[in-house]
Amino acid sequence: MKIRFLLIYIILFLGAGAFLSLRIARSSDDEMPAYPTEINRLVIRLGEEWDSVSRKSGQKIQTDEPFDYAVIGRAGNLLIYTKEGISTSVSAATTHFDVIRDIGQDGELVGWLLVHNPYSELQKERNGRRAMMVGMMLLVMLILSLAYFLYLRRRVVKPFDRMKAFAGRVAAGDLDAPLEMDRGHVFGAFTESFDIMREELKASREREAEAVKSRKELVAELSHDIKTPVASIKAMTDVMSLTARDDGERETIAAVSAKADQIDRLVSNLFHATLEELEQLEVKPEELSSRDILRMVKEADYLKKVEETDIADAVVLADPLRLNQVIGNVISNSYKYAGTEIRIVSRFEEGCGESPEERFILEISDRGGGVPGHELELITRKFKRGSNAEGKDGSGLGLYISGYFMEKMGGSLEVMNRDGGFLVRLKLKLC
């Protein structure tokens, strides 16, 4: 709360109180009006006109005198008066502290003049003025208090509520909505700092998410890259076991094969855990020659089972790393589930319908008997495997990941049974 507004409020409060006290003090010093000269003149005039006055009986008259009065005869009878409610007898006048003057005619007392004492009326009037001043004072204080309350509500309470709501949103994870800047309220100096804190938290969260994403991608890529040489080691041990010269060599080769199997299982578990959030893997398509695709095929075919490779010259749109993973996954699956020779051919396909662009088609097939027809759609889903995978290591992610990568590159992956085997069709955009 800013001190100057509180000081202004206190000064106004004290000033209004002092003004009211001064007015009340001055009003209490008002003197009673006295009209001695006028009263004497009236007494003389009544004495001179007594013959006409005495003939009246209780008559109310109009007067030009600055005071009210009543005239009574010597017998105490009311002759004239100027106002209702004033004293009409000597005893009543004495009780009200009225001025009582004798009226004489030729040296003889003929009646009395009772001059009304206006003290009670003046007192009521003063009390009314005081009540009005007190009321005005209370009204002013009410207005000042209301104005100060509205000021506090606008400059303190509402900004505090906004900061409270902002802190709640930040605690809930909403770091996108900025805090409204307003240096005019009490917390104005803090709003900028709070918003800077929000921006720093947002930047920190983005950096953390980017770090987690990079770490997951690194683990996924390393897992995939490790599986390929492990599979090569496994294949080599199978060959070496056939040419072993004695039982000692065979035991050593078997131990190497067992360790390779163990590494493969550990890598598969790591791969499975990392790819729970597959969407974090980046795909960056670029222009890629079909010669690069041929090289990828040769690198993936470590068992040399690709008997036919017919890849036409073309330039496609693909991510080299991700397409390499796709081709490696498909050939590795053929090794694992078919074990037959592999045929790879390519062709061009005219666009139609929603995809008018011409496509480059790469078909990878084997003769391992394929999979049951009702499982074709199933095996491309996350963590799903066909019935022919029983007893074989795997996570059910290979074809799912491959399909995901192909979609991100603007292509697609299709699976089907053909010629007594299994066929995977990869569609790529042409540049």
Side-chain angles (χ1 to χ4, degrees):
M1 184 183 302
K2 295 185 178 179
I3 300 299
R4 67 172 181 269
F5 293 106
L6 180 60
L7 292 177
I8 291 174
Y9 180 78
I10 293 174
I11 291 172
L12 289 175
F13 185 88
L14 293 177
F19 174 77
L20 178 62
S21 300
L22 183 61
R23 291 289 298 174
I24 292 175
R26 286 183 176 180
S27 66
S28 63
D29 294 338
D30 292 344
E31 295 182 357
M32 286 290 297
Y35 308 103
T37 302
E38 289 82 357
I39 292 174
N40 289 333
R41 289 175 181 174
L42 179 60
V43 169
I44 294 171
R45 182 165 57 83
L46 288 173
E48 293 173 352
E49 299 175 356
W50 183 255
D51 291 338
S52 63
V53 172
S54 63
R55 288 195 292 270
K56 297 178 181 179
S57 177
Q59 183 179 352
K60 183 178 180 180
I61 63 172
Q62 297 291 332
T63 181
D64 295 330
E65 301 295 342
F67 50 83
D68 292 302
Y69 61 90
V71 177
I72 60 175
R74 187 173 181 180
N77 57 312
L78 177 64
L79 300 178
I80 58 175
Y81 66 97
T82 61
K83 181 181 178 180
E84 299 287 347
I86 63 177
S87 300
T88 57
S89 65
V90 174
S91 61
T94 303
T95 302
H96 296 147
F97 301 99
D98 294 337
V99 176
I100 304 174
R101 297 294 298 273
D102 296 338
I103 301 174
Q105 186 181 41
D106 298 331
E108 182 180 356
L109 178 66
V110 294
W112 290 276
L113 171 66
L114 309 178
V115 179
H116 177 64
N117 182 0
Y119 176 79
S120 59
E121 286 87 348
L122 292 176
Q123 186 65 28
K124 288 181 180 179
E125 184 178 347
R126 283 195 295 267
N127 291 341
R129 289 199 302 268
R130 291 170 182 172
M132 182 176 295
M133 285 188 289
V134 171
M136 291 178 63
M137 175 66 177
L138 292 176
L139 180 61
V140 170
M141 296 312 303
L142 177 62
I143 293 173
L144 289 176
S145 299
L146 181 60
Y148 196 60
F149 170 77
L150 294 176
Y151 166 79
L152 291 178
R153 179 174 177 80
R154 180 181 177 184
R155 295 297 186 182
V156 179
V157 178
K158 285 188 175 181
F160 183 79
D161 288 341
R162 285 198 296 269
M163 294 178 66
K164 181 179 177 182
F166 172 77
R169 291 196 304 271
V170 170
D174 181 8
L175 301 177
D176 294 323
L179 178 62
E180 181 182 353
M181 296 292 180
D182 185 0
R183 296 183 179 275
H185 60 69
V186 176
F187 302 104
F190 301 100
T191 53
E192 185 175 2
S193 299
F194 268 67
D195 201 57
I196 292 174
M197 177 190 69
R198 175 194 64 82
E199 292 178 352
E200 289 297 324
L201 286 173
K202 182 179 179 181
S204 177
R205 176 171 292 184
E206 290 174 350
R207 288 192 297 267
E208 180 182 0
E210 187 65 28
V212 171
K213 178 181 177 182
S214 299
R215 186 169 62 252
K216 285 181 177 291
E217 288 185 355
L218 178 61
V219 172
E221 291 169 5
L222 289 176
S223 300
H224 176 268
D225 292 341
I226 291 172
K227 287 177 73 69
T228 300
V230 168
S232 299
I233 294 172
K234 179 68 175 174
M236 292 177 186
T237 57
D238 291 341
V239 174
M240 291 175 65
S241 64
L242 298 175
T243 61
R245 292 175 292 183
D246 53 43
D247 292 340
E249 286 187 4
R250 279 190 287 272
E251 288 179 2
T252 301
I253 293 170
V256 173
S257 179
K259 290 300 181 182
D261 288 337
Q262 183 180 5
I263 293 173
D264 187 66
R265 286 193 297 270
L266 292 174
V267 172
S268 295
N269 291 336
L270 181 61
F271 196 52
H272 180 282
T274 304
L275 292 181
E276 287 287 347
E277 299 178 7
L278 176 65
E279 289 73 13
Q280 292 190 0
L281 295 176
E282 286 188 359
V283 178
K284 298 178 179 178
E286 60 184 54
E287 292 185 359
L288 187 68
S289 170
S290 58
R291 293 172 182 247
D292 294 318
I293 298 176
L294 181 59
R295 176 183 52 79
M296 295 175 188
V297 170
K298 290 180 178 179
E299 290 178 356
D301 183 29
Y302 56 86
L303 292 182
K304 308 303 179 184
K305 289 186 177 291
V306 178
E307 65 176 2
E308 181 182 349
T309 305
D310 181 13
I311 300 178
D313 291 335
V315 178
V316 298
L317 186 66
D319 185 324
L321 175 63
R322 303 312 181 191
L323 184 58
N324 191 13
Q325 288 181 253
V326 171
I327 293 174
N329 278 333
V330 174
I331 293 178
S332 178
N333 282 347
S334 181
Y335 286 172
K336 185 186 300 184
Y337 301 116
T340 68
E341 300 301 321
I342 301 172
R343 181 172 179 264
I344 300 178
V345 297
S346 67
R347 58 186 172 85
F348 297 96
E349 182 182 84
E350 294 293 335
C352 62
E354 296 180 357
S355 301
E357 304 97 345
E358 187 178 10
R359 298 297 178 111
F360 180 78
I361 308 299
L362 186 68
E363 294 182 345
I364 305 174
S365 61
D366 57 47
R367 298 183 182 85
V371 299
H374 65 278
E375 295 180 357
L376 286 173
E377 182 180 357
L378 179 70
I379 61 176
T380 58
R381 298 179 185 175
K382 187 186 289 188
F383 308 127
K384 300 297 182 181
R385 306 178 71 193
S387 57
N388 63 335
E390 187 175 353
K392 296 182 174 65
D393 293 334
S395 59
L397 283 169
L399 289 178
Y400 172 72
I401 294 170
S402 298
Y404 171 79
F405 286 154
M406 293 302 297
E407 288 180 4
K408 287 296 183 179
M409 290 186 286
S412 63
L413 180 145
E414 300 173 358
V415 296
M416 62 194 70
N417 292 319
R418 177 180 292 181
D419 299 332
F422 187 71
L423 182 143
V424 177
R425 179 178 294 158
L426 305 179
K427 291 186 178 183
L428 294 165
K429 280 186 176 181
L430 285 169
C431 295

